[in-house]
Amino acid sequence: MRAVHGPQKAGSSIAHKARRGLIRKERTSLSMPARLSMEEWMRIGKALQVAADSTTWWLGDWLVYGQDRYPERYRKAIEDTSLDYQTLRNYAWIARKVPPDRRRPGLSMQHHAEVAALSPSEQDRWLDLSEKHAWSRNELRRHIRHSVSPDAGTPTAELRLTIPQARRQIWQRAAERANCDLGEWALRVLDAAARNNAAPPDPRRAVEAGL
């Protein structure tokens, strides 16, 4: 396991202020003192960001546990909560694809979502590069996309498809599971098929594969 440095420090800062009564945290509100320096305000924001990102990982691991241990009752149990089912499926897919020992505390879950469909060695490579160069999620996405399609910076052409609504819905669900928009998902599937010199995969199989 990798050591956690920055996130723990930020989280302990806000907890310390809360204990001193400077910050009040409620389920639906956060109250801060009238006089707060810009630096303190920024530290609080970073601590909240870390807490929010940690929660998505916790939810993802919780869901994976439920999928494995209660497969017959899992979906019904999730539907009985107030949480969005599709969002939770995305969290679970990322958590399963990127196990705890491969996660980087200094990167967001969205960074990990960008590499979740890759092999373990490629996940490590891109996450290492993201940490080294302090890439944002969008920067990481661009680098990965360029490595897959080196001609990404060349002039583009528009391609239009007319497909049945039922097929579009299947593709849309697959894209949501892969945590990207439909257009990007379609490009990934087509690029993968081109690299493998094979026909594009059946959309129903792509849904299961998380592509």
Side-chain angles (χ1 to χ4, degrees):
M1 294 293 290
R2 294 175 175 82
V4 179
H5 299 296
Q8 283 187 336
K9 183 177 180 180
S12 62
S13 174
I14 191 171
H16 177 65
K17 287 182 171 57
R19 287 194 298 269
R20 292 170 53 196
L22 299 178
I23 296 176
R24 291 183 56 191
K25 297 180 293 182
E26 304 291 344
R27 180 177 174 82
T28 59
S29 67
L30 180 71
S31 299
M32 292 170 283
R35 293 189 176 185
L36 198 64
S37 70
M38 182 71 177
E39 290 74 18
E40 289 177 315
W41 177 75
M42 287 293 294
R43 278 198 294 269
I44 292 171
K46 289 179 180 178
L48 293 173
Q49 181 181 358
V50 168
D53 196 64
S54 296
T55 299
T56 60
W57 281 120
W58 298 337
L59 281 170
D61 289 335
W62 172 72
L63 291 162
V64 168
Y65 181 94
Q67 287 173 340
D68 293 342
R69 184 147 186 166
Y70 312 111
E72 302 85 5
R73 294 176 288 172
Y74 165 79
R75 177 158 187 166
K76 179 62 169 61
I78 297 303
E79 289 175 344
D80 287 343
T81 72
S82 60
L83 302 171
D84 178 71
Y85 180 72
Q86 186 57 56
T87 299
L88 293 179
R89 282 184 58 182
N90 290 342
Y91 291 165
W93 182 75
I94 298 167
R96 188 179 293 279
K97 290 289 186 178
V98 188
D101 62 353
R102 197 172 300 130
R103 300 171 192 170
R104 307 302 201 269
L107 299 176
S108 71
M109 189 185 214
Q110 295 307 311
H111 282 84
H112 294 79
E114 295 300 323
V115 305
L118 304 178
S119 67
S121 61
E122 282 294 282
Q123 288 182 12
D124 279 328
R125 184 170 80 89
W126 286 110
L127 292 174
D128 285 343
L129 286 170
S130 291
E131 282 193 312
K132 179 179 178 180
H133 299 290
W135 288 340
S136 68
R137 186 277 303 270
N138 288 339
E139 287 173 323
L140 172 59
R141 175 182 294 179
R142 284 196 296 271
H143 284 289
I144 293 176
R145 183 180 295 176
H146 183 74
S147 74
V148 173
S149 303
D151 59 346
T154 63
T156 60
E158 184 173 336
L159 177 65
R160 291 181 177 273
L161 292 175
T162 301
I163 58 174
Q165 181 63 24
R167 173 169 288 184
R168 188 188 190 284
Q169 291 173 348
I170 292 173
W171 291 2
Q172 184 64 52
R173 287 196 296 271
E176 291 172 353
R177 185 168 182 175
N179 202 41
C180 61
D181 61 38
L182 180 56
E184 182 179 349
W185 175 85
L187 288 175
R188 289 183 184 180
V189 172
L190 292 171
D191 283 340
R195 289 197 304 275
N196 295 330
N197 196 26
D202 186 314
R204 293 174 180 81
R205 292 184 180 179
V207 171
E208 296 302 321
L211 291 175

PDB file of all heavy atoms in Angstrom, residues 28-46:
ATOM      1  N   THR A  28     -26.409  18.986   6.087  1.00  0.00           N
ATOM      2  CA  THR A  28     -26.786  19.826   4.938  1.00  0.00           C
ATOM      3  C   THR A  28     -26.117  21.186   4.931  1.00  0.00           C
ATOM      4  O   THR A  28     -26.535  22.077   4.191  1.00  0.00           O
ATOM      5  CB  THR A  28     -28.322  20.019   4.903  1.00  0.00           C
ATOM      6  OG1 THR A  28     -28.729  20.635   6.135  1.00  0.00           O
ATOM      7  CG2 THR A  28     -29.040  18.699   4.725  1.00  0.00           C
ATOM      8  N   SER A  29     -25.092  21.386   5.750  1.00  0.00           N
ATOM      9  CA  SER A  29     -24.461  22.708   5.761  1.00  0.00           C
ATOM     10  C   SER A  29     -23.050  22.640   6.329  1.00  0.00           C
ATOM     11  O   SER A  29     -22.680  21.686   7.023  1.00  0.00           O
ATOM     12  CB  SER A  29     -25.293  23.702   6.588  1.00  0.00           C
ATOM     13  OG  SER A  29     -25.266  23.338   7.964  1.00  0.00           O
ATOM     14  N   LEU A  30     -22.276  23.691   6.008  1.00  0.00           N
ATOM     15  CA  LEU A  30     -20.935  23.875   6.560  1.00  0.00           C
ATOM     16  C   LEU A  30     -20.828  25.333   6.984  1.00  0.00           C
ATOM     17  O   LEU A  30     -20.897  26.234   6.159  1.00  0.00           O
ATOM     18  CB  LEU A  30     -19.869  23.555   5.512  1.00  0.00           C
ATOM     19  CG  LEU A  30     -18.415  23.720   5.976  1.00  0.00           C
ATOM     20  CD1 LEU A  30     -18.048  22.623   6.966  1.00  0.00           C
ATOM     21  CD2 LEU A  30     -17.467  23.696   4.778  1.00  0.00           C
ATOM     22  N   SER A  31     -20.678  25.570   8.287  1.00  0.00           N
ATOM     23  CA  SER A  31     -20.586  26.939   8.806  1.00  0.00           C
ATOM     24  C   SER A  31     -19.140  27.263   9.140  1.00  0.00           C
ATOM     25  O   SER A  31     -18.460  26.505   9.833  1.00  0.00           O
ATOM     26  CB  SER A  31     -21.455  27.081  10.063  1.00  0.00           C
ATOM     27  OG  SER A  31     -22.813  26.816   9.761  1.00  0.00           O
ATOM     28  N   MET A  32     -18.675  28.417   8.641  1.00  0.00           N
ATOM     29  CA  MET A  32     -17.293  28.844   8.862  1.00  0.00           C
ATOM     30  C   MET A  32     -17.275  30.209   9.540  1.00  0.00           C
ATOM     31  O   MET A  32     -18.252  30.959   9.444  1.00  0.00           O
ATOM     32  CB  MET A  32     -16.551  28.902   7.520  1.00  0.00           C
ATOM     33  CG  MET A  32     -16.331  27.546   6.899  1.00  0.00           C
ATOM     34  SD  MET A  32     -15.705  27.631   5.189  1.00  0.00           S
ATOM     35  CE  MET A  32     -17.222  28.062   4.318  1.00  0.00           C
ATOM     36  N   PRO A  33     -16.196  30.551  10.244  1.00  0.00           N
ATOM     37  CA  PRO A  33     -16.122  31.843  10.931  1.00  0.00           C
ATOM     38  C   PRO A  33     -16.163  33.011   9.957  1.00  0.00           C
ATOM     39  O   PRO A  33     -15.798  32.879   8.785  1.00  0.00           O
ATOM     40  CB  PRO A  33     -14.784  31.775  11.670  1.00  0.00           C
ATOM     41  CG  PRO A  33     -13.998  30.742  10.943  1.00  0.00           C
ATOM     42  CD  PRO A  33     -14.989  29.749  10.446  1.00  0.00           C
ATOM     43  N   ALA A  34     -16.616  34.144  10.437  1.00  0.00           N
ATOM     44  CA  ALA A  34     -16.748  35.326   9.582  1.00  0.00           C
ATOM     45  C   ALA A  34     -15.403  35.768   9.036  1.00  0.00           C
ATOM     46  O   ALA A  34     -15.303  36.223   7.894  1.00  0.00           O
ATOM     47  CB  ALA A  34     -17.401  36.462  10.370  1.00  0.00           C
ATOM     48  N   ARG A  35     -14.352  35.651   9.837  1.00  0.00           N
ATOM     49  CA  ARG A  35     -13.014  36.042   9.399  1.00  0.00           C
ATOM     50  C   ARG A  35     -12.178  34.791   9.165  1.00  0.00           C
ATOM     51  O   ARG A  35     -11.863  34.051  10.087  1.00  0.00           O
ATOM     52  CB  ARG A  35     -12.349  36.931  10.445  1.00  0.00           C
ATOM     53  CG  ARG A  35     -13.036  38.285  10.599  1.00  0.00           C
ATOM     54  CD  ARG A  35     -12.229  39.210  11.487  1.00  0.00           C
ATOM     55  NE  ARG A  35     -12.824  40.534  11.569  1.00  0.00           N
ATOM     56  CZ  ARG A  35     -12.275  41.562  12.198  1.00  0.00           C
ATOM     57  NH1 ARG A  35     -11.095  41.402  12.804  1.00  0.00           N
ATOM     58  NH2 ARG A  35     -12.888  42.731  12.248  1.00  0.00           N
ATOM     59  N   LEU A  36     -11.859  34.581   7.912  1.00  0.00           N
ATOM     60  CA  LEU A  36     -11.103  33.405   7.521  1.00  0.00           C
ATOM     61  C   LEU A  36     -10.141  33.833   6.410  1.00  0.00           C
ATOM     62  O   LEU A  36     -10.550  34.437   5.419  1.00  0.00           O
ATOM     63  CB  LEU A  36     -12.063  32.326   6.994  1.00  0.00           C
ATOM     64  CG  LEU A  36     -11.559  30.888   6.915  1.00  0.00           C
ATOM     65  CD1 LEU A  36     -11.254  30.347   8.314  1.00  0.00           C
ATOM     66  CD2 LEU A  36     -12.603  30.007   6.238  1.00  0.00           C
ATOM     67  N   SER A  37      -8.861  33.545   6.597  1.00  0.00           N
ATOM     68  CA  SER A  37      -7.890  33.947   5.577  1.00  0.00           C
ATOM     69  C   SER A  37      -8.091  33.129   4.307  1.00  0.00           C
ATOM     70  O   SER A  37      -8.676  32.039   4.331  1.00  0.00           O
ATOM     71  CB  SER A  37      -6.460  33.744   6.091  1.00  0.00           C
ATOM     72  OG  SER A  37      -6.161  32.358   6.187  1.00  0.00           O
ATOM     73  N   MET A  38      -7.589  33.653   3.210  1.00  0.00           N
ATOM     74  CA  MET A  38      -7.691  32.951   1.936  1.00  0.00           C
ATOM     75  C   MET A  38      -7.000  31.596   2.010  1.00  0.00           C
ATOM     76  O   MET A  38      -7.507  30.593   1.476  1.00  0.00           O
ATOM     77  CB  MET A  38      -7.041  33.803   0.833  1.00  0.00           C
ATOM     78  CG  MET A  38      -7.110  33.205  -0.555  1.00  0.00           C
ATOM     79  SD  MET A  38      -8.785  33.239  -1.209  1.00  0.00           S
ATOM     80  CE  MET A  38      -8.495  32.552  -2.853  1.00  0.00           C
ATOM     81  N   GLU A  39      -5.863  31.541   2.698  1.00  0.00           N
ATOM     82  CA  GLU A  39      -5.115  30.295   2.803  1.00  0.00           C
ATOM     83  C   GLU A  39      -5.913  29.246   3.578  1.00  0.00           C
ATOM     84  O   GLU A  39      -5.972  28.077   3.198  1.00  0.00           O
ATOM     85  CB  GLU A  39      -3.771  30.538   3.503  1.00  0.00           C
ATOM     86  CG  GLU A  39      -2.756  31.336   2.687  1.00  0.00           C
ATOM     87  CD  GLU A  39      -3.115  32.827   2.605  1.00  0.00           C
ATOM     88  OE1 GLU A  39      -3.935  33.293   3.443  1.00  0.00           O
ATOM     89  OE2 GLU A  39      -2.586  33.503   1.705  1.00  0.00           O
ATOM     90  N   GLU A  40      -6.558  29.688   4.679  1.00  0.00           N
ATOM     91  CA  GLU A  40      -7.365  28.754   5.463  1.00  0.00           C
ATOM     92  C   GLU A  40      -8.568  28.268   4.657  1.00  0.00           C
ATOM     93  O   GLU A  40      -8.926  27.085   4.699  1.00  0.00           O
ATOM     94  CB  GLU A  40      -7.833  29.423   6.754  1.00  0.00           C
ATOM     95  CG  GLU A  40      -6.721  29.656   7.760  1.00  0.00           C
ATOM     96  CD  GLU A  40      -7.223  30.391   8.989  1.00  0.00           C
ATOM     97  OE1 GLU A  40      -7.971  31.388   8.840  1.00  0.00           O
ATOM     98  OE2 GLU A  40      -6.881  29.949  10.097  1.00  0.00           O
ATOM     99  N   TRP A  41      -9.198  29.212   3.932  1.00  0.00           N
ATOM    100  CA  TRP A  41     -10.354  28.853   3.117  1.00  0.00           C
ATOM    101  C   TRP A  41      -9.964  27.826   2.047  1.00  0.00           C
ATOM    102  O   TRP A  41     -10.689  26.864   1.792  1.00  0.00           O
ATOM    103  CB  TRP A  41     -10.922  30.117   2.470  1.00  0.00           C
ATOM    104  CG  TRP A  41     -12.067  29.875   1.546  1.00  0.00           C
ATOM    105  CD1 TRP A  41     -13.359  29.575   1.885  1.00  0.00           C
ATOM    106  CD2 TRP A  41     -12.027  29.909   0.106  1.00  0.00           C
ATOM    107  NE1 TRP A  41     -14.119  29.429   0.750  1.00  0.00           N
ATOM    108  CE2 TRP A  41     -13.330  29.623  -0.348  1.00  0.00           C
ATOM    109  CE3 TRP A  41     -11.017  30.166  -0.819  1.00  0.00           C
ATOM    110  CZ2 TRP A  41     -13.650  29.580  -1.712  1.00  0.00           C
ATOM    111  CZ3 TRP A  41     -11.326  30.117  -2.174  1.00  0.00           C
ATOM    112  CH2 TRP A  41     -12.622  29.833  -2.598  1.00  0.00           C
ATOM    113  N   MET A  42      -8.786  28.004   1.436  1.00  0.00           N
ATOM    114  CA  MET A  42      -8.312  27.059   0.429  1.00  0.00           C
ATOM    115  C   MET A  42      -8.017  25.695   1.043  1.00  0.00           C
ATOM    116  O   MET A  42      -8.325  24.652   0.445  1.00  0.00           O
ATOM    117  CB  MET A  42      -7.057  27.611  -0.251  1.00  0.00           C
ATOM    118  CG  MET A  42      -7.305  28.757  -1.212  1.00  0.00           C
ATOM    119  SD  MET A  42      -8.252  28.231  -2.667  1.00  0.00           S
ATOM    120  CE  MET A  42      -7.076  27.111  -3.447  1.00  0.00           C
ATOM    121  N   ARG A  43      -7.442  25.696   2.243  1.00  0.00           N
ATOM    122  CA  ARG A  43      -7.143  24.422   2.903  1.00  0.00           C
ATOM    123  C   ARG A  43      -8.422  23.649   3.186  1.00  0.00           C
ATOM    124  O   ARG A  43      -8.473  22.424   3.041  1.00  0.00           O
ATOM    125  CB  ARG A  43      -6.360  24.679   4.198  1.00  0.00           C
ATOM    126  CG  ARG A  43      -4.862  24.887   3.978  1.00  0.00           C
ATOM    127  CD  ARG A  43      -4.081  24.708   5.273  1.00  0.00           C
ATOM    128  NE  ARG A  43      -4.417  25.753   6.240  1.00  0.00           N
ATOM    129  CZ  ARG A  43      -3.773  26.915   6.345  1.00  0.00           C
ATOM    130  NH1 ARG A  43      -2.775  27.183   5.509  1.00  0.00           N
ATOM    131  NH2 ARG A  43      -4.117  27.794   7.250  1.00  0.00           N
ATOM    132  N   ILE A  44      -9.443  24.375   3.609  1.00  0.00           N
ATOM    133  CA  ILE A  44     -10.726  23.719   3.874  1.00  0.00           C
ATOM    134  C   ILE A  44     -11.280  23.110   2.587  1.00  0.00           C
ATOM    135  O   ILE A  44     -11.771  21.974   2.574  1.00  0.00           O
ATOM    136  CB  ILE A  44     -11.734  24.720   4.473  1.00  0.00           C
ATOM    137  CG1 ILE A  44     -11.275  25.133   5.880  1.00  0.00           C
ATOM    138  CG2 ILE A  44     -13.137  24.119   4.527  1.00  0.00           C
ATOM    139  CD1 ILE A  44     -12.070  26.280   6.471  1.00  0.00           C
ATOM    140  N   GLY A  45     -11.200  23.876   1.503  1.00  0.00           N
ATOM    141  CA  GLY A  45     -11.693  23.366   0.227  1.00  0.00           C
ATOM    142  C   GLY A  45     -10.974  22.106  -0.215  1.00  0.00           C
ATOM    143  O   GLY A  45     -11.606  21.153  -0.695  1.00  0.00           O
ATOM    144  N   LYS A  46      -9.661  22.088  -0.043  1.00  0.00           N
ATOM    145  CA  LYS A  46      -8.891  20.909  -0.417  1.00  0.00           C
ATOM    146  C   LYS A  46      -9.258  19.711   0.458  1.00  0.00           C
ATOM    147  O   LYS A  46      -9.349  18.580  -0.026  1.00  0.00           O
ATOM    148  CB  LYS A  46      -7.393  21.203  -0.305  1.00  0.00           C
ATOM    149  CG  LYS A  46      -6.881  22.160  -1.379  1.00  0.00           C
ATOM    150  CD  LYS A  46      -5.403  22.444  -1.202  1.00  0.00           C
ATOM    151  CE  LYS A  46      -4.899  23.416  -2.280  1.00  0.00           C
ATOM    152  NZ  LYS A  46      -3.458  23.741  -2.096  1.00  0.00           N
TER     153      LYS A  46
END
